[in-house]
Amino acid sequence: TSVSPHARPIIRVRPLTCTETRRGDRRVVHSLGDGAVHVSAARHDATFGFSTVFDTGASQEAVFEGSGMRQLVELAIDGFSCTVFAFGQTGSGKTYTLMGPLAQSETQPASPALLGLMQRSFACLLEQSRSRGSDLALSASYLEIYNEQIRDLLSPGSPCTLPLRWNKTHGFYVENQLSVDFESLEAIVSLLLQGSQRRRTSAHALNRHSSRSHALLTIHIRSRAGRQSITPLTWVLQPSACPSKQGTLCFVDLAGSERVKETGSSGELSVEANSINRSLLALGHCISLLAKPRGKWTHIPYRDSKLTRLLARSLGGSGITLMVACISPSSRCLSETLSTLHYASRAQRVTTRP
Ligand code: ADP
Ligand code: MG
């Protein structure tokens, strides 16, 4: 398998929303082709280069097919830990890209054409599983980090806080997290819906259903036949730390980066905003340190936030990461757009050794 050694960032520019068009926002982000993104406004004029950019017209299917997501699913089946994370300002299209518009309305199911990266990956995974004669055991866990507390989105009743631990074999892990087995697309999609409805959201000026937490849905993929049928050749190809072939596919919907004054947040909302910003800052810090040339050993401060602890393996170690930077083309979002693009450019240089 040819694995890109980078934590690949891809860019998705969403269309202007009706509200933005109605109030006369200008479009300041343009894709110039060949991965170039141009941001133009009165005093800012910048061009960024990426390997993949999806402009406003890109369909959900085009994003799935063009992002390398299919390959990531296959690598997860092969035992790698793969992580997809969507980041960007609140309202920039993170949830839409991952799940489609369905998470916003509970009554009307979204049209299949609008389903996001997650449902498409699940379908791809189950297809693969079927074609391999169901030797894969699949289970899912779904957590959110809200105000630096980890909560299980799948356990029934009101979400309880779970402790985050560390040991030599597993690295960081969440104690007592629920993991639910599934065998069908319907089952995993229903877990996704149940869990995402339990996420903490609050309405504020930028997005009526703004997600106030980071949500991590992880699919654990175990090869049922794996233990017995491991051949010496497999050992050569898979010198990973875990002896049995167990891959993961993790989807992270990050809470939006935002400034307190722009969103009109106060009181409880500004406490939320501060812990969101703190963990995004910690993540950005780890990413920029990882992006530096590795001449000498650098300490990466994963312990600075729960988010970076949970992402430690996929960011720095043996994982493969796909980052989806979501941006709004609106003139009003200019400064956040620039900061998302800078963040993504830094991530481009992160190298991991899966
Ligand atoms: P975030 O999760 O980043 O806060 P959302 O995914 O909730 O943002 O998107 C904000 C709004 O923009 C939603 O109403 C969503 O349906 C719409 N939207 C986002 N991306 C797109 C897109 N690519 N095409 C059409 N509408 C989009
Ligand atoms: Mg969201």
Side-chain angles (χ1 to χ4, degrees):
T1 340
S2 72
V3 182
S4 151
H6 295 275
R8 283 172 302 172
I10 64 172
I11 310 295
R12 187 179 203 188
V13 190
R14 71 155 167 76
L16 282 172
T17 61
C18 300
T19 323
E20 288 169 340
T21 313
R22 228 180 295 128
R23 70 183 181 204
D25 290 12
R26 275 177 317 107
R27 191 179 154 185
V28 295
V29 181
H30 294 272
S31 159
L32 305 177
D34 275 341
V37 182
H38 186 241
V39 182
S40 60
R43 277 174 298 130
H44 300 273
D45 198 67
T47 306
F48 297 81
F50 297 97
S51 56
T52 314
V53 176
F54 296 98
D55 208 356
T56 54
S59 66
Q60 295 283 71
E61 189 189 3
V63 174
F64 178 75
E65 297 298 341
S67 59
M69 199 56 238
R70 228 175 245 286
Q71 192 198 9
L72 219 59
V73 171
E74 275 162 22
L75 288 166
I77 295 174
D78 286 340
F80 291 98
S81 46
C82 302
T83 307
V84 181
F85 67 93
F87 67 101
Q89 178 179 21
T90 296
S92 60
K94 299 180 294 294
T95 303
Y96 185 95
T97 298
L98 289 176
M99 297 197 262
L102 88 172
Q104 322 275 341
S105 87
E106 290 151 34
T107 44
Q108 276 184 329
S111 107
L114 297 182
L115 293 176
L117 286 179
M118 293 174 87
Q119 295 95 333
R120 287 167 200 271
S121 304
F122 300 159
C124 180
L125 174 62
L126 285 154
E127 224 168 79
Q128 290 275 335
S129 168
R130 224 164 294 133
S131 75
R132 290 178 190 219
S134 305
D135 68 335
L136 302 179
L138 305 172
S139 63
S141 57
Y142 201 3
L143 304 168
E144 74 172 343
I145 307 175
Y146 174 71
N147 280 347
E148 281 299 281
Q149 293 192 323
I150 297 178
R151 309 204 296 198
D152 199 322
L153 292 171
L154 294 183
S155 69
S158 65
C160 55
T161 305
L162 299 178
L164 180 58
R165 309 233 185 265
W166 186 90
N167 72 24
K168 258 196 181 133
T169 3
H170 297 103
F172 294 107
Y173 67 97
V174 178
E175 196 171 74
N176 296 330
Q177 76 175 348
L178 204 66
S179 181
V180 181
D181 294 340
F182 65 92
E183 286 180 347
S184 70
L185 184 59
E186 293 71 33
I188 178 63
V189 167
S190 131
L191 287 174
L192 169 66
L193 288 181
Q194 279 170 36
S196 55
Q197 277 161 21
R198 303 180 63 188
R199 271 183 84 179
R200 274 301 280 248
T201 59
S202 349
H204 66 50
L206 287 175
N207 186 342
R208 280 194 303 126
H209 302 275
S210 155
S211 312
R212 309 305 298 158
S213 63
H214 308 298
L216 292 86
L217 182 137
T218 309
I219 308 280
H220 307 270
I221 307 164
R222 251 176 317 113
S223 229
R224 281 197 179 114
R227 264 173 212 278
Q228 286 81 23
S229 71
I230 252 175
T231 63
L233 180 64
T234 320
W235 278 104
V236 175
L237 293 171
Q238 300 282 327
S240 85
C242 4
S244 70
K245 202 160 121 176
Q246 168 150 7
T248 53
L249 184 58
C250 179
F251 295 88
V252 188
D253 188 358
L254 293 172
S257 48
E258 62 209 7
R259 284 123 208 270
V260 174
K261 67 173 173 13
E262 276 170 25
T263 56
S265 311
S266 63
E268 192 190 348
L269 289 185
S270 75
V271 174
E272 284 177 358
N274 284 333
S275 54
I276 291 169
N277 289 344
R278 196 162 1 103
S279 56
L280 291 175
L281 207 66
L283 179 61
H285 190 201
C286 290
I287 288 175
S288 52
L289 287 174
L290 285 164
K292 292 212 171 108
R294 299 261 190 90
K296 42 185 181 289
W297 187 79
T298 333
H299 169 72
I300 310 292
Y302 293 117
R303 287 181 182 269
D304 283 2
S305 74
K306 298 246 161 87
L307 178 67
T308 42
R309 275 182 249 181
L310 282 176
L311 291 175
R313 193 176 351 183
S314 57
L315 279 178
S318 53
I320 302 156
T321 305
L322 173 66
M323 299 171 70
V324 186
C326 296
I327 52 184
S328 152
S330 159
S331 45
R332 296 218 187 180
C333 298
L334 184 67
S335 68
E336 289 291 343
T337 293
L338 286 169
S339 97
T340 301
L341 288 169
H342 282 299
Y343 204 107
S345 310
R346 275 200 303 274
Q348 199 151 221
R349 287 175 307 229
V350 178
T351 326
T352 63
R353 278 146 301 165

